[in-house]
Amino acid sequence: MQLLCLGDIALADQLPACKPWTVPGALAPNDDMQIIFNWEFPIGGTVNSKPRARGMRFMAHPDSVAVIKSWAPGLVTLANNHILDAGEDGLAQTICSLQKAGFNTVGAGMTADEVKRPLIWETKEGRLAIINWVFAETHPDWMAIPGPNCWPGSDSARLIIQDLKREADWVMVVVHWSDELFPYPMPKDRELARQLSGMGADIVIGHHPHVVRGMEVFGPCPVFYSLGNFYFAERRNSDGEWILKGAPRNREGLGVQFTFRRGRDPEYRLLSFWNNKRETLPDPFHRASRRMKTVSSAFHRYQGDTYVSWYQKERARFDKWDSRWHFGLLRRGVVDSVRRLILKIQE
C-alpha cells in the first residue's frame, strides 16, 4: 500500500499549454498505489461575485481534469481557501469532474455531512483514514455549506481523530493552513502539529504556503509543514500585468511517498519536482528535498520560547530583505524589474 503526497495544483481558467501529465514518481496508480494532492482552483463557468476576505478568485478550465487523467485512481483534497471561487455550482462541478475521472475527494461537499466526511482507503495491508481541514488564516469562505471542511477546533478534532483511530489502522491529517512564502512554520503551527500527534494522527501533511517548509517528527508522527506547489498556473491581466506568477522557490515541489504495512508505522521517502512553467518534472537537483532538510535543521536547535524569539527575528529579516529578493526581483525577472523601476522614476 503506497501513497504519494504532492502539494498544491492550481490550473487557471486557461488550460495549460501542455499535454496530459505523466504519473509522477514511480507509481502505477491502482487499488494499492495512489496519489493525493490539493486541487486549488474549482472548475466552473462563472467566478463567484462575492469578494473573498483576502485575495482574488480564480477558476480552473472545465477540461482541466484531463491533464491528470493518467493519475487515476487517486485521492484529492478540497478543503482550501479557493474552493468556492466559482460558487456552489463550481464546487459541485469540481467534485463531479474529479470523481468521474476516477478520483475520490475529501474536504468539501454540498451538505454538512459531505463536508465533514473523512475518506477511507482500504487495501489488503489495512485502512487509511484521511481527514482534510482548512484554517481561518487562509481566508476561506468560512463555515459555508456547501463549502470546505473548516478546522473545528482542537477539542472537536481530538474526538474526530480518536473515532477514526477505532476504525482505521492509520490516520492522515491534511491541513490547508498558515501563512504564505516564509519558509518556516509559525510557532502555533508547531504546537498544533504536536497536538495532532498527541490526538492520534499518524501523518500530518500541510498545504497553502506555496513554498517547501521543513518537517519534524513527534513520537511516531511525521509532520510536513508544507509540500509547496506541484503546479501553479501563471496568468496576466488584460494590461499585461502579472496576477499569477511564480518565483523560483514557488517552483520547488516536494513529494512524500508513504508505504503502509499492516501493524507497522508508515515509512516514507522524499521526491523532488520542479515546475518549468508548462509542466512539472522530477528535479535532478533535488531542490525541494534539500530545501526541506535545510529548513528542518532549525527545529532541532530551537524549541518553545526559543523558537518564538528566533522566528520573530527571521520573519523581520525576511519581510525586509528576503521577500523582496526572492518574491520581488527573482519573481518578476530582470527585464520586468527594470521596466518597473523606469516607470517609477518617470512618475
Side-chain angles (χ1 to χ4, degrees):
M1 182 177 184
Q2 292 186 313
L3 181 65
L4 174 58
C5 300
L6 301 176
D8 298 316
I9 292 180
L11 301 175
D13 53 5
Q14 297 299 315
L15 196 64
C18 62
K19 59 186 179 181
W21 296 341
T22 57
V23 178
L27 289 180
N30 56 48
D31 290 343
D32 298 319
M33 303 172 68
Q34 297 197 11
I35 299 170
I36 187 170
F37 53 92
N38 172 57
W39 185 266
E40 188 83 1
F41 296 162
I43 299 164
T46 305
V47 174
N48 189 345
S49 60
K50 178 183 176 181
R52 286 186 58 227
R54 181 178 177 183
M56 298 178 63
R57 292 193 183 273
F58 298 99
M59 292 189 307
H61 190 280
D63 297 327
S64 56
V65 173
V67 176
I68 56 168
K69 62 182 181 180
S70 66
W71 295 17
L75 315 172
V76 181
T77 61
L78 297 176
N80 64 60
N81 50 312
H82 284 286
I83 201 60
L84 283 177
D85 281 4
E88 296 177 5
D89 290 343
L91 173 58
Q93 186 176 345
T94 302
I95 293 172
C96 180
S97 295
L98 287 165
Q99 292 182 350
K100 186 175 180 180
F103 296 95
N104 288 316
T105 61
V106 64
M110 304 306 294
T111 67
D113 287 342
E114 289 178 0
V115 167
K116 297 176 182 179
R117 184 180 302 152
L119 191 157
I120 305 294
W121 180 32
E122 185 170 6
T123 77
K124 62 181 181 298
E125 290 291 347
R127 307 181 86 211
L128 171 66
I130 301 170
I131 188 73
N132 179 209
W133 285 305
V134 62
F135 283 67
E137 66 261 24
T138 71
H139 305 286
D141 292 88
W142 191 249
M143 294 296 180
I145 298 176
N149 190 18
C150 297
W151 171 245
S154 295
D155 292 341
S156 295
R158 182 182 302 276
L159 295 176
I160 292 168
I161 292 173
Q162 289 175 349
D163 284 344
L164 290 174
K165 290 289 285 187
R166 285 189 279 270
E167 61 177 293
D169 298 281
W170 310 278
V171 175
M172 172 185 284
V173 177
V174 182
V175 286
H176 205 84
W177 64 351
S178 200
D179 53 357
E180 298 180 353
L181 305 183
F182 189 52
Y184 296 97
M186 294 185 288
K188 69 174 185 177
D189 299 340
R190 293 186 71 190
E191 177 55 32
L192 180 56
R194 186 186 301 275
Q195 291 178 18
L196 288 169
S197 173
M199 294 174 192
D202 296 282
I203 298 168
V204 177
I205 297 290
H207 294 138
H208 179 69
H210 304 304
V211 293
V212 173
R213 285 184 169 172
M215 70 84 62
E216 59 185 325
V217 179
F218 296 104
C221 176
V223 177
F224 293 86
Y225 288 103
S226 172
L227 302 186
N229 297 333
F230 183 82
Y231 181 91
F232 219 88
E234 296 190 337
R235 276 190 59 192
R236 294 180 186 266
N237 62 20
S238 57
D239 296 325
E241 295 288 335
W242 287 108
I243 55 176
L244 285 176
K245 182 174 173 59
R249 284 198 178 182
N250 300 131
R251 303 189 187 286
E252 300 170 354
L254 186 67
V256 187
Q257 184 168 321
F258 288 95
T259 298
F260 299 89
R261 295 183 176 89
R262 189 180 297 276
R264 298 171 58 176
D265 292 331
E267 301 171 353
Y268 66 88
R269 70 184 186 96
L270 304 178
L271 293 86
S272 293
F273 299 96
W274 179 258
N275 173 8
N276 66 8
K277 301 184 182 181
R278 289 178 177 267
E279 61 182 331
T280 299
L281 301 169
D283 182 10
F285 300 105
H286 306 288
R287 280 166 281 203
S289 58
R290 288 192 289 113
R291 179 82 58 199
M292 189 218 72
K293 292 173 183 177
T294 298
V295 174
S296 300
S297 63
F299 305 149
H300 302 293
R301 299 195 303 271
Y302 306 107
Q303 301 285 340
D305 291 342
T306 305
Y307 180 74
V308 173
S309 178
W310 177 86
Y311 174 91
Q312 291 171 343
K313 293 177 182 177
E314 283 295 305
R315 181 76 213 205
R317 184 178 65 82
F318 174 84
D319 291 341
K320 186 175 182 179
W321 301 110
D322 288 10
S323 62
R324 297 179 183 181
W325 172 253
H326 290 289
F327 303 101
L329 180 64
L330 294 184
R331 182 181 70 87
R332 290 191 298 267
V334 175
V335 174
D336 191 46
S337 295
V338 170
R339 183 178 65 84
R340 289 169 66 93
L341 178 60
I342 292 173
L343 290 174
K344 188 173 183 178
I345 291 173
Q346 289 175 343
E347 292 175 356

